[in-house]
Amino acid sequence: MALLIAFLVFLLSMVAAIFTGHSMIIALLIGLLAFSLAAAAKGYSFKALGSMALDGAKDSLIVIEVVCVIGFVTASWRVSGTITIFVYYGMKIITPALFLLIAFLLSCLLSYALGTSFGVAGTVGVIFMTLARSGGVDPVITAGVLMSGIYFGDRGSPVSSSANMVAGITGTKIFDNVKLMMKTAIVPFVITLAVYTVLSVMNPISQVDQALVASFEKEFVLSLWAFVPAVVMLLLPLLKVSVLISMGLSILCAVAVAWLVQGVPLLEVFKICFVGYEAQGEGLGIILNGGGLVSMLETVFILLISSSYSGIFSGTGLLDDIQEKLSRACTRFGRFTVLLLMSIGIAAVFCNQTIATLMCCDILKKPYMDGHSSASIAPDTSDAVSMTELAIDMENSVILIACFIPWSIGCSVPLSFFGADFHSLPFAVYMYTVPIFWLLTKKRWFAGKGI
């Protein structure tokens, strides 16, 4: 009963925070207190719970490192003129009626090549959002389109950390999984293309205001050197350089361009990297202001708090009874249906794609194996088939669903880069078309084929 009350308190607090515009940190802290009290009712001391929460928070440090680096990237690209140079020339060459479609396809391509959703959102995504705002395209729709694009690669790229994590915890082969992911995403991808084609025609980008062009020319030196930070960021991962190192080198290039080309004092450049960029030109602020480490602080706190939840749950076993009931439900309602519903619940509570994926695998691995061991499949292949099914089911559910919950890290972080909120989510068509399509067609399309 105590756990149920804690869940209700958490969800109500989170919904209230979203619709009132208050920080999610407050709701997360309320939820943390509620779950701690539920654990205390089972006999755990607050000292022990604090230690568990700290252990869970430590797991978020790697992601926090990436988020902080992206904060530096977004500010350094602004002050160096990198975003401006893309906007300046982009407004001249992009076909107005195809802007949203191009934004989707390019973000798909880059996220697939780089395997990072946050990296593409914080760089190319910011550029497209700047283009949209300066060209009169609805930023709410644009943010939804970009969400679809960045998670196309996050889900299905062979260099994606989430795709490799799924392959690792299920013991499957990444390239085999990628082939199946592409096959199961063909129809959702075509549907998404059709929707974005219509939206593009209905929301064409206008010619840039000449006053805005004058502001660009006044505030920045529109030199081709400003392209260098982006080239470094996008090219090095293709040469097998890690994304984090590529981002670091991109920052250094952007700092050099800002100092040597734009003429910004070096100390001022470093300050902007920390506190964010503030445009001097009239009218530029609405499309260029922001970025920097400070802009990531709320995200860092959200990461720390949400990760502490997993420490408490794993240390206290609060979810053990729920896990047992979910396993029984697989037999009655079907494995993917249970996995899909569980994805929503776990992602809503833990606010984290990695934790949600790990928990879904841990809870449902046995039901998936039991389902195939009782089917007419050779004993020496049943385990492999069941793990392949689990891997693809997770790629078509929790990997995307965990980034569709408004208060989850995978959703709130990219939207913060875009300067958008949860109102953009209905336009992230690819993210919900994939699980819906798989739910409706899995048995019919793949009957007798192992999954």
Side-chain angles (χ1 to χ4, degrees), residues 8-21 24 27 407 422:
L8 290 174
V9 169
F10 169 76
L11 291 175
L12 289 174
S13 299
M14 194 60 72
V15 171
I18 289 175
F19 285 99
T20 60
M24 289 187 290
W407 54 84
F422 69 97

Side-chain angles (χ1 to χ4, degrees), residues 91 164 259 286 308 325 341 365 447:
M91 292 297 294
N164 279 278
W259 178 34
I286 192 172
S308 68
K325 292 177 182 178
L341 294 175
K365 182 179 291 187

Side-chain angles (χ1 to χ4, degrees), residues 368-380:
Y368 271 75
M369 294 181 71
D370 289 346
H372 283 284
S373 64
S374 60
S376 56
I377 301 176
D380 58 341

Side-chain angles (χ1 to χ4, degrees), residues 367-433:
Y368 271 75
M369 294 181 71
D370 289 346
H372 283 284
S373 64
S374 60
S376 56
I377 301 176
D380 58 341
T381 61
S382 62
D383 287 355
V385 170
S386 60
M387 289 301 96
T388 297
E389 180 191 6
L390 177 58
I392 300 306
D393 280 2
M394 288 198 297
E395 293 287 3
N396 290 341
S397 58
V398 63
I399 292 298
L400 295 173
I401 294 297
C403 302
F404 200 77
I405 305 297
W407 54 84
S408 71
I409 299 303
C411 184
S412 61
V413 171
L415 288 180
S416 70
F417 292 155
F418 302 151
D421 59 20
F422 69 97
H423 291 97
S424 298
L425 294 180
F427 299 99
V429 178
Y430 180 78
M431 294 181 68
Y432 57 79
T433 305

Side-chain angles (χ1 to χ4, degrees), residues 134-340:
S134 62
V137 180
D138 191 335
V140 174
I141 297 177
T142 306
V145 169
L146 292 170
M147 287 290 285
S148 285
I150 65 174
Y151 282 112
F152 173 86
D154 181 81
R155 168 188 174 271
S157 170
V159 296
S160 164
S161 59
S162 66
N164 279 278
M165 175 181 65
V166 170
I169 61 179
T170 58
T172 53
K173 296 179 180 179
I174 179 64
F175 287 101
D176 290 344
N177 290 350
V178 167
K179 291 177 182 178
L180 286 170
M181 280 187 277
M182 289 301 172
K183 183 176 183 179
T184 60
I186 291 174
V187 174
F189 185 77
V190 171
I191 292 173
T192 303
L193 283 178
V195 172
Y196 289 160
T197 299
V198 173
L199 289 175
S200 290
V201 174
M202 294 175 62
N203 296 272
I205 191 169
S206 63
Q207 294 298 320
V208 67
D209 190 327
Q210 291 305 310
L212 189 61
V213 172
S215 296
F216 284 150
E217 294 171 343
K218 180 179 179 181
E219 183 149 342
F220 294 95
V221 177
L222 298 176
S223 166
L224 296 181
W225 285 107
F227 283 111
V228 172
V231 172
V232 169
M233 168 69 185
L234 301 176
L235 182 61
L236 290 183
L238 301 180
L239 301 176
K240 307 303 182 182
V241 178
S242 75
V243 172
L244 202 58
I245 293 176
S246 300
M247 287 182 181
L249 293 175
S250 176
I251 293 169
L252 292 177
C253 290
V255 169
V257 172
W259 178 34
L260 299 174
V261 177
Q262 303 298 343
V264 182
L266 192 57
L267 289 178
E268 181 67 16
V269 175
F270 288 136
K271 177 184 175 182
I272 289 171
C273 287
F274 279 91
V275 302
Y277 179 76
E278 185 174 348
Q280 300 299 316
E282 184 177 354
L284 289 182
I286 192 172
I287 60 174
L288 286 181
N289 286 356
L293 180 63
V294 171
S295 69
M296 296 290 102
L297 290 182
E298 181 176 11
T299 299
V300 168
F301 283 117
I302 290 174
L303 276 167
L304 286 170
I305 298 170
S306 62
S307 296
S308 68
Y309 279 44
S310 64
I312 290 177
F313 282 128
S314 62
T316 60
L318 281 175
L319 300 181
D320 287 350
D321 290 341
I322 296 177
Q323 291 174 356
E324 183 179 347
K325 292 177 182 178
L326 285 172
S327 296
R328 291 199 300 267
C330 287
T331 303
R332 183 175 180 182
F333 300 106
R335 292 184 289 272
F336 184 70
T337 301
V338 173
L339 176 55
L340 184 60

